[in-house]
Amino acid sequence: MDSTSDAVGESVPAQAPAAPFAEEAEQGVPEHRARYRRIVGFAAREFLTVWWYELVLPRFGLASRAERTRAARMQRFARRFHALAVELGGLMIKVGQFMSSRLDVLPPEITAELEGLQDEVPAVAFADIRALAEAELGVPLTRAYAWFDEVPLAAASLGQAHRARLSDQDAEDTGLRDVVVKVQRPGIDGIVATDLAALRRVARWASRVRLVSNRVDAPALVEEFAQTCREEIDYLHEAAGAERFAADFADDPRVSAPEVVWERSTRRVLTLSDVTAIKINDTVALRAAGIDPTDVANVFADVMLDQVFTHGFVHADPHPGNIFVTPLPSDPGGLAWRLTFVDFGMMTSVPDSLRAGLRTLVIAVAGRDSKGLVAAAQEIGVLLPSADTRELERALTVLFARFGGMGFAELRHVDPSEFTGFATEFTDTVRELPVQLPENLLLLIRAVSLTSGLCSALDPAFNIWDPVEPYAAKLLQDEGGNLVQDFSRQAAANAGILWRLPKRLDDVISRADSGTLSFDTSRLERRLDVLVGIGRRVISAVLFMALVVGGALMLATAPVFAWILIGVSALPLLHALFGGRRRT
């Protein structure tokens, strides 16, 4: 330990923990109330901006203006969020990190602005870190470690890491010498509680928007996120995750994970073997070490798919700060490097029910079975069982007819305009369906999103279907017996339908002859109601414009009457904007 560290006092009494995840942060300390207001106020302003440009302006024929300013508005939003996240830290950093990793989906105006959040988290003063670590370990740092670096190796949103060296006794017991010690940020429990309370408020706002509430239960998603946060700030949970991950890949030379020093680990302090190496997105350092970033992208994607399909235990936070590329001695029979994962606080399991749904999904795609594909979506839990899926089945039939004979690799050579045309036809159908994100799926989607974004950064020509295709083939091969059984059951079901078809046709003809045949026209009536509502709102918009223009022309000659006209114009304006907002 250096001279400054030698000044560490004896033990520091533990502080009382913050109230665990209070329902509303307004009831907390003043700084938490101010933090809550900052987050909620930021979200409210952004909601209003989106509402004005994307909903209001297009209703008055100004959609081109909204389109023309969209890129600049996204960049301004990213700058404002970047500043807010750096200032507040906590979960806001994690939101920004997720957005900055979506290189494959989000525009560069957002990802470029938020990219620095991966490394821009300010460090906590060492005196505060030392006090918390000594309170947790029950001994001074000078006794817990032979040396402890006061300069942090990395600072994250929930904690920070320092290099250290174990004492001779601990080194002999563990077989390790150099370690990395993760120490939780002091007061992080209260900060996380405040951020979650703000997110709950924003989720309640979102749940009142029919476009959102028809597709996802936003409050439930926040609660799932809250559970993940509780696990992430419990370092004992992370230590268990690290050991399970290492066991899963014990026989895979491509992957490694740090060892846990349990004797120097608690809920708020975690000691791990030092495995730092080349950061996975440092392409300059990779090439200098003779490592091709394209090979890294392919192996990384393959390893992530192994986690999903083979082990069922997935690292859900694979951003660049959590993965190293470790060079190895030259080996003609294998890779000269391996991937080293760290930070196992955010892990997700793939339950048997989800695996079964994925299997059904692959079988349906192999058989070009649109009905089976819908059934798979319902089995996974994305589509509610009560959803009317007839239109979706017809759209999927068109999809299979257009692209069903192509392998994954062949799809890359299809004219993009074909995909665009199909997407236009497909969107309206999907928009009407009740979609939800079931438990475990949110973190799995996050892992896939971060993987795709990072691989695209390593290799601009990366295509996610290339590593997926072998897994699809392997799954079909492993489930060959079940596949035959499924096809046999489907053939039997089709035979039963053909056997009953003559009787059903005879029944329909008999009901038509007797005048008892009826049709369900409720959907047609609902569409007509929508058209009538649109017509009324158009009339209100025209009336609004007439009153405003008429009032403006009469301002010079009859100002009182003119202002009356302009004031009255607010009534048809409100009807034009909100007349069709009632829930059905």
Side-chain angles (χ1 to χ4, degrees), residues 564-580:
I564 291 175
L565 290 179
I566 293 174
V568 172
S569 69
L571 297 176
L573 172 62
L574 291 173
H575 180 264
L577 292 177
F578 305 109

Side-chain angles (χ1 to χ4, degrees), residues 130-149:
R130 178 178 58 193
L132 189 147
E134 292 184 339
E136 284 292 304
L137 297 174
V139 295
L141 288 185
T142 51
R143 291 174 55 187
Y145 303 96
W147 170 78
F148 197 98
D149 191 356

Side-chain angles (χ1 to χ4, degrees), residues 317-517:
D317 196 22
H319 67 73
N322 288 338
I323 306 158
F324 297 107
V325 179
T326 305
L328 300 173
S330 180
D331 180 4
L335 287 175
W337 51 271
R338 67 186 176 203
L339 294 173
T340 302
F341 286 73
V342 299
D343 195 348
F344 300 92
M346 190 180 294
M347 306 293 292
T348 185
S349 298
V350 183
D352 292 340
S353 58
L354 183 54
R355 288 197 192 193
L358 292 173
R359 171 183 169 274
T360 305
L361 186 79
V362 171
I363 291 173
V365 172
R368 304 178 197 175
D369 178 9
S370 58
K371 192 176 185 66
L373 190 56
V374 171
Q378 292 175 327
E379 186 175 353
I380 293 172
V382 175
L383 276 178
L384 295 178
S386 59
D388 184 356
T389 59
R390 288 171 293 183
E391 290 290 337
L392 179 60
E393 290 173 17
R394 283 193 285 270
L396 289 171
T397 299
V398 175
L399 171 65
F400 285 131
R402 288 189 187 181
F403 312 115
M406 302 179 183
F408 288 127
E410 293 178 285
L411 291 175
R412 288 180 296 175
H413 305 296
V414 175
D415 185 349
S417 63
E418 286 193 64
F419 289 118
T420 302
F422 175 78
T424 302
E425 301 172 15
F426 196 72
T427 299
D428 289 339
T429 299
V430 175
R431 187 176 293 148
E432 298 296 327
L433 294 171
V435 177
Q436 65 176 2
L437 291 178
E439 187 178 1
N440 297 103
L441 195 58
L442 180 63
L443 288 179
L444 186 59
I445 292 173
R446 171 186 168 83
V448 172
S449 300
L450 290 172
T451 300
S452 178
L454 182 51
C455 289
S456 298
L458 289 167
D459 177 15
F462 177 80
N463 189 299
I464 190 64
W465 295 116
D466 288 341
V468 166
E469 186 176 17
Y471 275 92
K474 182 177 183 298
L475 183 57
L476 283 172
Q477 181 180 0
D478 293 344
E479 298 290 343
N482 291 330
L483 180 60
V484 171
Q485 295 174 13
D486 288 338
F487 280 139
S488 299
R489 282 195 295 268
Q490 185 64 47
N494 291 339
I497 292 173
L498 291 174
W499 177 264
R500 294 189 299 271
L501 185 58
K503 183 179 184 303
R504 296 177 68 179
L505 287 175
D506 181 66
D507 181 59
V508 169
I509 294 172
S510 299
R511 291 170 64 189
D513 288 339
S514 63
T516 60
L517 186 63

Side-chain angles (χ1 to χ4, degrees), residues 39-45 47 198-209 212 218-219:
I39 297 172
V40 171
F42 178 88
R45 287 191 297 271
F47 269 134
L199 290 175
R200 289 187 180 101
R201 173 63 60 85
V202 175
R204 288 197 293 269
W205 289 347
S207 67
R208 295 189 180 100
V209 179
V212 176

Side-chain angles (χ1 to χ4, degrees), residues 26 56-57 155 174 201 216 354 358 430 461 542:
E26 296 100 325
V56 176
L57 291 186
T174 62
R201 173 63 60 85
V216 65
L354 183 54
L358 292 173
V430 175
V542 172

